[in-house]
Amino acid sequence: MPDKSPKRLPGRPKQADTQISVQQTIILTASKLFKEYGYETVTLQQIGKRCNVSKPTIYYHFASKPELFKVAMITMFQNVRRVTSEFLDHAEHLEDGLIQLAEARLANPHAEVETMIREAEPFLEKNQIQEIREAEARIHEVLATHFQLAMDQQTLREDDPMFLAETFSTLMLMGNRENTPQKYESNLALGQRLVGIFLRGTKST
């Protein structure tokens, strides 16, 4: 029996594919604009203009500007979590993975993201803030898992792995200060120093 279902024109993407592409474009563009100008300054009109879509199109995918911000931040943290996991999973040693991770984080300062989130918090619902912070905490969970593994292998002294994860992330913020990277040849050099201090401290041996 011949197939009588309607045929899609060659080269024309499925509607679902188009919707996903538009949504991802809006999220990526919003993330860049929020990071560059801050939450309050950026408007949906600006985001739409940069994406070449109308404001109603944005509202089709996101109920409000706070909701778009929430999704943009969660997506960003999910990407950081994925990269963190890849670096640490594939590194031969924990220190090597942490150095690669530090170099990547220093190239994309997290301090700016934290400032942006705090600026947006007065405009967000409590559950939206909670979802953003939970996505951030999942990055710490990946770090904590690898710290625990290193403790099990007795290559890292016993401590609270989540505390170590949060401490490492805080140390990365110290490296994001405006004048700090200028003292080093590269983010790699600075990352090596920060990881060295984190793993071995400053005590002479």
Side-chain angles (χ1 to χ4, degrees):
M1 183 176 180
D3 182 7
K4 296 183 179 180
S5 59
K7 301 296 183 181
R8 189 163 51 90
L9 293 177
R12 182 179 179 181
K14 296 179 181 179
Q15 185 177 8
D17 294 341
T18 303
Q19 290 177 349
I20 291 172
S21 177
V22 170
Q23 188 176 67
Q24 290 175 338
T25 299
I26 293 170
I27 292 171
L28 179 60
T29 302
S31 298
K32 291 179 178 178
L33 288 175
F34 286 138
K35 189 172 181 179
E36 185 173 356
Y37 300 108
Y39 175 85
E40 195 168 2
T41 303
V42 174
T43 66
L44 294 182
Q45 288 92 332
Q46 286 177 296
I47 296 171
K49 184 176 181 181
R50 188 73 64 91
C51 296
N52 293 319
V53 300
S54 65
K55 188 174 177 180
T57 299
I58 296 178
Y59 276 122
Y60 174 80
H61 293 281
F62 305 97
S64 63
K65 178 181 170 182
E67 185 66 16
L68 173 55
F69 179 83
K70 182 204 78 174
V71 174
M73 292 302 99
I74 290 176
T75 301
M76 183 200 67
F77 283 135
Q78 287 174 338
N79 289 334
V80 173
R81 182 183 183 278
R82 175 182 54 79
V83 170
T84 299
S85 182
E86 288 176 356
F87 279 142
L88 297 178
D89 286 345
H90 298 143
E92 186 174 353
H93 303 289
L94 175 64
E95 184 168 1
D96 296 336
L98 291 177
I99 289 173
Q100 293 179 54
L101 180 58
E103 182 183 14
R105 286 201 179 186
L106 292 168
N108 297 279
H110 182 73
E112 297 177 8
V113 175
E114 181 61 28
T115 300
M116 178 174 57
I117 293 173
R118 291 193 180 279
E119 178 193 338
E121 282 184 351
F123 304 94
L124 305 178
E125 299 291 336
K126 288 184 178 180
N127 66 303
Q128 292 172 327
I129 297 172
Q130 182 178 352
E131 288 182 57
I132 292 172
R133 292 306 183 185
E134 287 175 351
E136 183 180 24
R138 292 188 188 101
I139 301 171
H140 295 154
E141 290 172 0
V142 172
L143 285 164
T145 297
H146 284 271
F147 290 147
Q148 183 62 62
L149 179 61
M151 291 178 210
D152 295 341
Q153 297 172 342
Q154 297 185 336
T155 58
L156 196 66
R157 70 175 176 82
E158 288 293 329
D159 208 321
D160 179 355
M162 185 58 74
F163 174 77
L164 292 179
E166 292 170 352
T167 300
F168 178 80
S169 294
T170 300
L171 192 59
M172 293 301 100
L173 294 181
M174 295 297 293
N176 287 149
R177 291 181 301 175
E178 290 184 4
N179 62 337
T180 302
Q182 298 174 4
K183 300 177 182 178
Y184 300 88
E185 294 179 0
S186 64
N187 287 324
L188 174 60
L190 178 56
Q192 289 171 331
R193 182 168 184 180
L194 291 172
V195 171
I197 291 173
F198 173 75
L199 291 177
R200 289 177 286 277
T202 58
K203 185 177 179 180
S204 61
T205 54

